[in-house]
Amino acid sequence: MNPLQAVRTRIRPAARRPADLTPEERETRGLLLRLCSLLLQYPDDELAAARAVLGSSVRALPDSAAAAELAAFTEWFTATDPDDMRRHYVEVFDLRRKSSLYLTYYLHGDTRRRGMALLTLAQCYRATGWESGSGELPDHLPVVLEYAALTGTAAGEAPLRRHRRGLELIRRSLGAADSPYEHVLAAVLSLLPPATDADLRAVAELAAAGPPAEDVGMDPFDGGVFAPPGTFTPPVPAPPTRAVPAPAADASADPSTAPTSRENLR
C-alpha cells in the first residue's frame, strides 16, 4: 500500500450533510424540528390536551438520537399534571437567565447588537414569505425551530447553527436543574454539527461571565422595529409579545422582583 492509500484508510468518512438527505429523511427531519418546537412551547390547555397525540407521533419516528431524546421527554410530558408542568416551565425558562429561550440574548446580551440581530432575523423570515403568527420575538427558540421545520435544512436551519453555543448553554442549564426539557434541547443539538473545541470553550466562558452588556442606553433603530427596553414591534400586526424579551432574574432571586409574569406572557 502506498503512503497516500494508507492515509486515506485512516480518514473517517465525512458526516453526511443535511443537503444530501433523501426526501423521506428531509420529511422526518422537518417533523423532528416541528415536534421540538411544539414541546418547547408553554404548555397551555391546548398543548396539554394534545399530549397523547404528540407522544404517539414521537413513538412513530424512525430510530435516531433525536427520537430517543424526545421519547424520554414525552414520558414525563404525558404523565405530569398540566399545572405542575406550567410551574416547571415558568421556573426553568422564565426565571433563569441561563435557560431563557431567547437565542440572541446569549450572543449579544442586552446590547444594541441584539436589536439588530432581531431585526435581521425578522427580515430573514419575511424574505422567505414566512410569518410566525405566535406574537413571540423572532429569536424565541420554538419560533426558530418552526421556521427551520417549514423552510428546510439550508437557510431554514442557519439560525440554529448560528446560535449553537447558546443552545448548548440552555441544555447544560436544564441538566443542572434536573429538568426533563434537557432532552428536547439534546434532540435539537443532535441535528446540528457537533460542537468544536472552540464552541465548548465559548460555552464555558458564557456560563461563567454571562452574555455581553453595555452601560449606555439602547436607542430604537430606524423604522421602530426594535424599541427597547423590551418591546419588539413586528413588521405586521400580531398578538402582543412578551412584555420583556430579556430573561428574568435567576430562580434563586426573589420571584417578586421579576419584571413580568406568566399571566402577562400568555
Side-chain angles (χ1 to χ4, degrees), residues 14-37:
R16 196 176 186 194
R17 296 179 180 179
D20 298 330
L21 301 181
T22 66
E24 294 77 12
E25 289 170 332
R26 287 196 191 96
E27 182 179 358
T28 298
R29 190 179 182 90
L31 179 57
L32 282 165
L33 291 165
R34 178 65 172 155
L35 285 167
C36 289
S37 173

Side-chain angles (χ1 to χ4, degrees), residues 145-170:
L145 287 165
E146 184 177 3
Y147 173 73
L150 297 176
T151 309
T153 56
E157 294 183 22
L160 291 171
R161 294 191 295 270
R162 187 179 307 122
H163 292 284
R164 194 198 190 290
R165 295 174 180 180
L167 292 169
E168 178 63 32
L169 181 62
I170 298 171

Side-chain angles (χ1 to χ4, degrees), residues 112 114-126 136-139 218-236 241 245:
R112 290 181 177 88
R114 186 182 178 206
M116 186 57 68
L118 289 169
L119 172 59
T120 300
L121 197 51
Q123 290 174 335
C124 176
Y125 295 162
R126 288 203 305 270
E136 281 288 2
L137 292 177
D139 67 336
M218 296 173 64
D219 296 331
F221 285 93
D222 290 341
V225 178
F226 182 75
T231 301
F232 179 82
T233 304
V236 295
T241 65

Side-chain angles (χ1 to χ4, degrees), residues 239-256:
T241 65
R242 290 179 187 256
V244 179
D250 289 339
S252 59
D254 182 357
S256 66

